[in-house]
Amino acid sequence: MGGPPVGVVRRGRGVLPWALLVLWVGVIALAMPFAGKLGDVQHDRAVDYLPASADSTQVAKIQDRLPGGETTELVLVYHRDGGLSAADRAVAAAQVSDVEAKLEISGTPEGVPSAGGDTLMYPVASNAPGQDEDLRDAFVNDVRDIAHGTDAAAGMSVEVGGPGALATDASEVYQSLDGPLLYTTAAVVALLLILIYRSPFLWLVPLAVAGVADFLSMGVAYGLNQAFGTTVSGQSSGVMTILVFGAGTDYALLIVSRYREELRRFERPHDAMRAALRGCGPAVVASSATVAAGLLCLLAADLNSSRGMGPLGAVGVLCALVAMLTLLPAVLVLLGRRVFWPLVPAFGSEAKRRRSLFHAMGTSAGRRPLAVLGAGAVLLGALALGVLNLPGSLKQEDSFTSTPDSVAAMKTLAAAYPDTGTQPITVIAPNGLAKKVVEGARDTSGVVDVRRGRSGGGWTEIGVVAKAAPQSAAETATIEALRDRLDGQGAYVGGPSAEQLDLKDTNARDRLVVVPIVLAAVLLILVGLLRALVAPLLLLVAVVAVWGASLGIAGFVFGPLLGFDGTDPGLGLLSFVFLVALGVDYGIFLMHRMREEVLGGAGTGTAALTALRTTGGVIASAGLVLAATFAVLTNMPLVQLVELGFVIAVGVLLDTFLVRTYLVTSASLALGRKVWWPGPLSRTREAPAAPPAEQQPVTVGR
């Protein structure tokens, strides 16, 4: 992995820190007008995530063109334990009349009492907001102001639910993530850097550079949206920030560690930085390129949200790389050795040598590599069995970690109307076939009511009420039966429940397509970097095993401990892509160092143990930082983000402290030079055996 020096060094002139600082000021000035607009193009409706080919996507697009645009549907829910009184019903009727008088709604809402008499629901619909999310949110909040602003009899609950209210609550949660996510991530990274560097100043440098990289990534992401229509969601923008801080800090740890070492060999900081970038730069570039390539494989996904996350994730990683290879070296050289105070590396000094955790790990792996490898494989396999305990698909109302008004309303409705659909299924049919479609819908099993709606642009909107509760297995069967019956009639079946079904089906399709592409792309990159086939296959098998074990641990945690009622349909694919890309990232650092040792004349066994001892500390620090940044997502108020953050954080820790240290090292020891097959290193004669591990000193901080 040789080549010209990486970074900002020039032979004979050193680093040009001031020029780079001026350049970065110009870059940030250019990005500033765009970075602040990223939130304006962020969309989090379920239909925005779906592919254009999905039935529910077609329904939403046609609804936008109907008179009034897309319908915002709400349900006002009035409930009293023991039964509603006449006064309660009067209050409910007065509130609904107030909504009708003050707001633009479709038709006159009619109350539907529950069989037990303890609940009364009023469906309310409006076309006034159209497809504008801000207008939708304003309408929902206006209805809530009326519902919650009138004094009701003590003991009666008033809740506003329905698809529109769920969408508004989700939108407000996503819009509130940016600040807390950024501040929490920065705080976690700062704390870890202080503990790692044990310096009151040094931690500020990589953290500030990561913040600059995050700002740049926001501007680039907005540019991608404007130029190519890249989908931007709250999830993808949040993950982009996590990757900037996580991956960027990892690269900083490697560069700073090597720079500290070179400061002992070179008197001038810019010479030390040039040597540091020449030594670790190629591995940093290769690992970031591998992560970016793995994420870009998501472009093959059919789901808009997944396809958009690929470019945004790659943008985050590449912006972090550029900042850490240019701005970070410039700032460090300007500050000089004093930035490391109180542990300043003096010119000509020697690093302290002591035994470390990774020395002990390497020693134990070297004694019985096959036993260690077998035990690790059994452990990972046992953990992976937890996948069987993962809860089913996540329902829309179960996607919040708290209970907003819309979710409380849906739970009240589910209990009060167990045999009645409370969320409409929308069918869009050509005008000429509308009558036939209505008749076909009425004859479909599970349908209790069918009503014709608006017409315009050659299409008619038809509302279908299912007998079953929203997003239940019975309602899903009704939706599928409707699609089967109406197939070939030019009609589309959509609505909130159909959107969730399409999300699940599309995610299943994407897993079958994207997973092989990711494996093939990463394998090709590793083969090119390591000049071998066995070593890349070993790394891939390791990260796939980590992915399975991480999902298995999630199966033991999500339902039993966290009480989650479902698993996000996209969790399997997204966690796979991130864990494979990030896991291979660390594998490159380890195998690259091992290959260097072999090229220097060491035997494969000695090279594997040396690579572990010399890079283990830095890789462990980087793994802790990356896991901690993804763990920040577990503190967010959306189940999808909590699940994704948990699986990736657990996977990174497994990879760092078990697979990368014990299992890959043990496999390399067991295979010997065959690990480099069929490359030239596999045919190189092994060097004499190294002295016992206990007699070998270990350099810490490399």
Side-chain angles (χ1 to χ4, degrees):
M1 299 175 64
V6 178
V8 296
V9 288
R10 293 184 180 178
R11 205 174 279 279
R13 298 185 63 183
V15 180
L16 300 177
W18 290 112
L20 279 169
L21 287 179
V22 171
L23 177 62
W24 270 98
V25 168
V27 169
I28 294 303
L30 289 174
M32 189 173 296
F34 307 107
K37 297 181 179 180
L38 185 62
D40 298 338
V41 297
Q42 177 179 310
H43 298 287
D44 294 295
R45 298 184 306 167
V47 71
D48 294 320
Y49 287 24
L50 289 168
S53 58
D55 259 30
S56 51
T57 307
Q58 296 300 318
V59 167
K61 288 182 177 179
I62 295 172
Q63 280 184 316
D64 291 341
R65 301 197 298 267
L66 291 175
E70 185 179 0
T71 301
T72 299
E73 295 168 328
L74 304 177
V75 182
L76 276 75
V77 184
Y78 301 88
H79 174 81
R80 180 189 291 275
D81 292 337
L84 293 169
S85 65
D88 294 335
R89 294 189 179 90
V91 169
Q95 286 191 354
V96 173
S97 296
D98 204 13
V99 169
E100 186 177 8
K102 294 180 178 179
L103 304 176
E104 185 178 341
I105 64 175
S106 305
T108 300
E110 296 181 3
V112 181
S114 65
D118 58 355
T119 306
L120 179 65
M121 71 170 177
Y122 279 90
V124 175
S126 175
N127 301 119
Q131 60 180 330
D132 190 300
E133 293 182 37
D134 292 334
L135 292 177
R136 177 204 66 198
D137 295 345
F139 171 72
V140 172
N141 290 327
D142 287 342
V143 172
R144 283 176 168 166
D145 288 341
I146 294 173
H148 299 152
T150 303
D151 291 334
M156 183 178 74
S157 65
V158 184
E159 299 157 343
V160 179
L166 280 169
T168 293
D169 288 339
S171 176
E172 289 177 353
V173 167
Y174 273 116
Q175 291 173 5
S176 68
L177 289 181
D178 292 343
L181 183 63
L182 176 61
Y183 304 145
T184 307
T185 302
V188 168
V189 172
L191 177 61
L192 288 174
L193 288 177
I194 291 172
L195 294 175
I196 292 169
Y197 287 141
R198 290 171 291 170
S199 167
F201 308 111
L202 181 58
W203 64 273
L204 279 168
V205 180
L207 184 64
V209 173
V212 171
D214 183 51
F215 191 81
L216 175 62
S217 69
M218 293 169 62
V220 176
Y222 177 79
L224 286 178
N225 173 269
Q226 296 300 296
F228 304 104
T230 303
T231 301
V232 179
S233 67
Q235 187 183 51
S236 62
S237 61
V239 168
M240 182 178 71
T241 294
I242 292 293
L243 282 172
V244 170
F245 279 89
T249 305
D250 282 1
Y251 303 148
L253 285 169
L254 291 165
I255 293 170
V256 171
S257 175
R258 190 64 175 259
Y259 176 53
R260 186 201 295 267
E261 179 184 341
E262 299 299 341
L263 282 172
R264 303 182 188 278
R265 300 176 53 236
F266 294 91
E267 184 175 3
R268 295 187 300 177
H270 66 79
D271 291 333
M273 182 59 73
R274 178 170 55 194
L277 291 175
R278 183 186 293 116
C280 70
V284 171
V285 171
S287 61
S288 63
T290 304
V291 175
L295 293 174
L296 287 175
C297 291
L298 282 171
L299 287 170
D302 204 18
L303 202 65
N304 284 337
S305 56
S306 297
R307 191 165 64 248
M309 187 174 288
L312 260 65
V315 162
V317 170
L318 295 179
C319 285
L321 172 71
V322 172
M324 294 304 168
L325 286 181
T326 56
L327 183 58
L328 177 68
V331 174
L332 287 175
V333 169
L334 277 175
L335 294 175
R337 297 175 186 270
R338 59 184 177 274
V339 74
F340 289 95
W341 186 88
L343 304 175
V344 179
F347 172 60
S349 64
E350 291 288 335
K352 292 183 179 180
R353 298 177 181 271
R354 61 181 176 83
R355 303 191 189 281
S356 68
L357 170 65
F358 296 96
H359 175 271
M361 286 182 170
T363 300
S364 61
R367 286 171 180 161
R368 303 184 65 184
L370 289 178
V372 171
L373 186 61
V378 170
L379 174 61
L380 291 176
L383 291 175
L385 292 176
V387 172
L388 302 175
N389 198 45
L390 282 171
S393 295
L394 188 69
K395 295 181 181 179
Q396 194 174 12
E397 63 263 28
D398 294 329
S399 60
F400 302 90
T401 56
S402 59
T403 307
D405 192 39
S406 58
V407 173
M410 300 304 287
K411 290 182 177 180
T412 301
L413 290 172
Y417 303 86
D419 298 322
T420 304
T422 56
Q423 187 168 276
I425 300 169
T426 303
V427 177
I428 295 291
N431 284 342
L433 296 174
K435 182 178 179 180
K436 184 178 180 181
V437 169
V438 168
E439 293 173 353
R442 284 201 177 106
D443 293 336
T444 302
S445 175
V447 172
V448 296
D449 189 24
V450 179
R451 298 177 183 177
R452 292 184 64 151
R454 300 169 292 165
S455 294
W459 297 92
T460 297
E461 183 182 62
I462 301 167
V464 178
V465 179
K467 180 180 180 180
Q471 296 185 41
S472 62
E475 191 206 33
T476 298
T478 300
I479 293 172
E480 292 173 340
L482 272 172
R483 287 177 170 174
D484 290 340
R485 180 175 286 274
L486 302 180
D487 186 34
Q489 298 184 24
Y492 300 102
V493 179
S497 295
E499 289 169 2
Q500 295 300 312
L501 177 60
D502 288 338
L503 281 173
K504 179 182 177 181
D505 291 343
T506 307
N507 269 300
R509 174 264 175 199
D510 285 348
R511 283 196 298 272
L512 295 176
V513 173
V514 176
V515 166
I517 295 176
V518 171
L519 291 175
V522 172
L523 179 62
L524 288 175
I525 293 172
L526 289 176
V527 169
L529 289 174
L530 300 178
R531 307 292 194 274
L533 181 60
V534 173
L537 286 174
L538 173 62
L539 292 179
L540 274 187
V541 170
V543 293
V544 171
V546 166
W547 172 64
S550 303
L551 284 178
I553 294 174
F556 296 123
V557 172
F558 285 173
L561 297 182
L562 300 182
F564 292 162
D565 293 322
T567 305
D568 179 28
L571 177 64
L573 176 62
L574 294 180
S575 61
F576 176 84
V577 172
F578 281 107
L579 285 178
V580 168
L582 296 171
V584 167
D585 185 31
Y586 291 143
I588 288 175
F589 297 144
L590 184 69
M591 299 299 286
H592 174 66
R593 182 56 187 264
M594 188 190 307
R595 190 169 185 272
E596 279 187 4
E597 296 294 331
V598 173
L599 288 173
T604 301
T606 301
L609 297 177
T610 301
L612 176 60
R613 297 185 192 110
T614 55
T615 65
V618 177
I619 291 177
S621 299
L624 281 173
V625 170
L626 190 63
T629 53
F630 272 100
V632 169
L633 291 176
T634 63
N635 195 42
M636 297 297 106
L638 286 171
V639 171
Q640 297 96 317
L641 294 180
V642 173
E643 291 179 343
L644 183 64
F646 178 87
V647 171
I648 296 178
V650 168
V652 169
L653 292 176
L654 277 176
D655 185 81
T656 302
F657 293 101
L658 173 62
V659 175
R660 198 65 49 211
T661 49
Y662 269 125
L663 303 191
V664 171
T665 301
S666 298
S668 300
L669 290 170
L671 290 170
R673 63 182 180 181
K674 294 178 182 177
V675 76
W676 306 110
W677 184 89
L681 291 182
S682 66
R683 299 185 293 273
T684 303
R685 188 173 182 178
E686 289 285 334
E694 291 81 4
Q695 299 177 14
Q696 296 181 5
V698 179
T699 301
V700 177
R702 187 174 178 85

